[in-house]
């Protein structure tokens, strides 16, 4: 099939952004409820929904997800009739985290009753930046445009290489992916921190995000803290972040005393392993090098606490 005629449904925000970076925006015919960038994709039919109520705290979300999973249910619903009506040739999804987005298991019922040739399912599961570049290739190949992946990857690499040089002594940075309970950001985030000029604390490249205790944070005593809760925009992060920092042992940490704690937009940047990881690294570079002079284009993604 000609790439121009290929119909794609993306059920993952980062996959949607990858498709657009590959010049496939006009091929998109459906999206997930969280796919919102670039803004034009918001006009596409929405094929999924979440069982999580709006406005929950991070602890309430954790408790709600546990309750759903313990019942053997999914956190997400798929609109199977709508999905079938869109007649996709390719469906983009993920297999990394059953809590973060729709997985292949969530699509089983819809695909089991498919009439005609079923769509090709492309499931992404990146652990590090190399995997993200690999996902560019996988989506391009599925769409019949493999020649576009190297250029898209080259643009990302060029953006990362353009970051400021690391200072002579790298500051220690802690990236927090969930507030209650406490989780440190892993996977590609430690690589972004290193590229931006700092030393990642309590996490290693390619290793999944994991729970930690406050005592580990005290022992590491970070110079900079970046709070990037998964799926949270700044307005949702700020109240919980301020409440956290007002408690012991947090308020005694060096980063808190010196005013080097920041909330950053996890929803739009850090939690999406796609082209905008370059902007994520640029945000981290601002926290390290120019916290008092953030460029206007990045200011909406950063709040100093």
């Amino acid at each position: 099939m000609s790439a121009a005629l290929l119909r794609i449904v993306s059920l993952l925000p980062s996959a949607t952004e990858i498709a657009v970076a590959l010049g496939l925006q006009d091929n998109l015919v459906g999206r997930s409820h969280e796919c919102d960038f670039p803004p034009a994709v918001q006009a596409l039919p929405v094929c999924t929904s979440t069982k999580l109520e709006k406005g929950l705290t991070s602890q309430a979300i954790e408790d709600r997800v546990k309750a759903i999973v313990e019942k053997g249910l999914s956190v997400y619903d798929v609109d199977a009739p709508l999905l079938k009506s869109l007649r996709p040739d390719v469906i983009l999804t993920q297999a990394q985290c059953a809590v973060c987005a729709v997985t292949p298991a969530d699509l089983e019922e819809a695909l089991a009753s498919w009439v005609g040739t079923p769509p090709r399912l492309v499931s992404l599961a990146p652990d590090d930046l190399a995997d993200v570049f690999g996902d560019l290739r996988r989506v391009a190949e599925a769409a019949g445009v493999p020649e576009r992946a190297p250029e898209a990857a080259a643009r990302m690499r060029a953006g990362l290489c353009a970051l400021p040089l690391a200072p002579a002594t790298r500051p220690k940075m802690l990236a927090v992916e969930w507030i209650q309970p406490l989780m440190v950001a892993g996977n590609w985030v430690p690589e972004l921190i290193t590229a931006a000029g700092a030393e990642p604390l309590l996490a290693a490249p390619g290793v999944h995000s994991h729970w930690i205790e406050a005592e580990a944070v005290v022992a590491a005593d970070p110079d900079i803290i970046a709070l990037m809760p998964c799926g949270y925009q700044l307005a949702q992060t700020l109240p919980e972040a301020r409440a956290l920092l007002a408690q012991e042992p947090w308020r005694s940490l060096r980063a808190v005393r010196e005013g080097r704690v920041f909330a950053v937009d996890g929803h739009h940047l850090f939690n999406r392993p796609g082209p905008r990881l370059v902007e994520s690294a640029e945000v981290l570079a601002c926290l390290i090098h120019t916290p008092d002079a953030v460029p206007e284009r990045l200011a909406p993604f950063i709040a100093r606490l």
Side-chain angles (χ1 to χ4, degrees):
M1 176 182 294
S2 166
L5 301 176
L6 196 79
R7 298 172 64 83
I8 301 173
V9 168
S10 176
L11 302 181
L12 181 67
S14 59
T16 298
E17 297 185 24
I18 285 173
V20 172
L22 293 169
L24 297 167
Q25 183 165 333
D26 291 342
N27 297 86
L28 292 169
V29 296
R31 66 176 177 98
S32 79
H33 61 287
E34 291 187 324
C35 296
D36 56 9
F37 188 87
V41 305
Q42 296 179 42
L44 295 171
V46 178
C47 301
T48 64
S49 59
T50 177
K51 293 185 176 76
L52 299 177
E53 301 85 352
K54 291 185 177 180
L56 297 178
T57 65
S58 57
Q59 184 64 66
I61 291 173
E62 175 69 11
D63 294 341
R64 178 83 171 107
V65 167
K66 282 184 177 179
I68 292 171
V69 172
E70 285 174 357
K71 294 178 181 178
L73 302 175
S74 169
V75 179
Y76 299 99
D77 289 317
V78 177
D79 188 334
L82 173 60
L83 187 62
K84 293 174 184 177
S85 74
L86 296 174
R87 298 177 291 107
D89 302 295
V90 174
I91 298 177
L92 305 177
T93 183
Q94 61 91 39
Q96 186 179 58
C97 176
V99 176
C100 299
V102 170
T103 68
D106 298 323
L107 294 167
E108 285 180 357
E109 183 177 348
L111 295 177
S113 58
W114 205 274
V115 177
T117 303
R120 177 177 178 180
L121 199 62
V122 180
S123 184
L124 309 181
D127 289 332
D128 55 20
L129 284 179
D131 288 343
V132 176
F133 295 132
D135 286 344
L136 288 169
R137 183 178 65 254
R138 294 182 65 205
V139 174
E141 289 173 350
V145 289
E147 71 282 357
R148 299 183 187 178
E151 181 180 350
R155 289 196 297 268
M156 287 187 65
R157 289 190 174 96
L160 294 172
C161 289
L163 295 170
L165 294 176
T169 301
R170 287 175 176 263
K172 300 180 296 181
M173 177 180 284
L174 175 71
V176 175
E177 190 169 298
W178 202 245
I179 294 177
Q180 294 291 344
L182 192 63
M183 175 181 280
V184 64
N187 298 103
W188 48 85
V189 172
E191 291 177 274
L192 299 182
I193 292 173
T194 299
E199 173 193 345
L201 287 182
L202 306 177
V207 178
H208 288 303
S209 302
H210 56 275
W211 307 116
I212 58 170
E213 299 294 335
E215 290 76 13
V217 179
V218 173
D221 199 14
D223 300 302
I224 306 171
I225 298 175
L227 301 167
M228 51 183 74
C230 185
Y232 273 38
Q233 298 183 48
L234 283 181
Q236 191 175 3
T237 301
L238 291 175
E240 288 196 54
R242 290 175 177 136
L244 179 74
L245 299 181
Q247 304 170 12
E248 289 292 356
W250 290 88
R251 60 184 176 187
S252 299
L253 294 174
R254 178 196 322 238
V256 178
R257 297 196 314 268
E258 296 180 358
R260 301 200 71 182
V261 182
F262 304 85
V264 295
D265 194 320
H267 171 70
H268 279 119
L269 295 183
F270 295 89
N271 313 146
R272 296 190 182 188
R276 289 200 293 168
L277 287 185
V278 173
E279 290 177 61
S280 302
E282 290 175 339
V283 165
L284 295 179
C286 287
L287 310 189
I288 297 164
H289 302 279
T290 58
D292 298 317
V294 176
E296 185 176 351
R297 66 184 178 86
L298 298 179
F301 303 116
I302 302 172
R304 195 167 194 167
L305 296 163

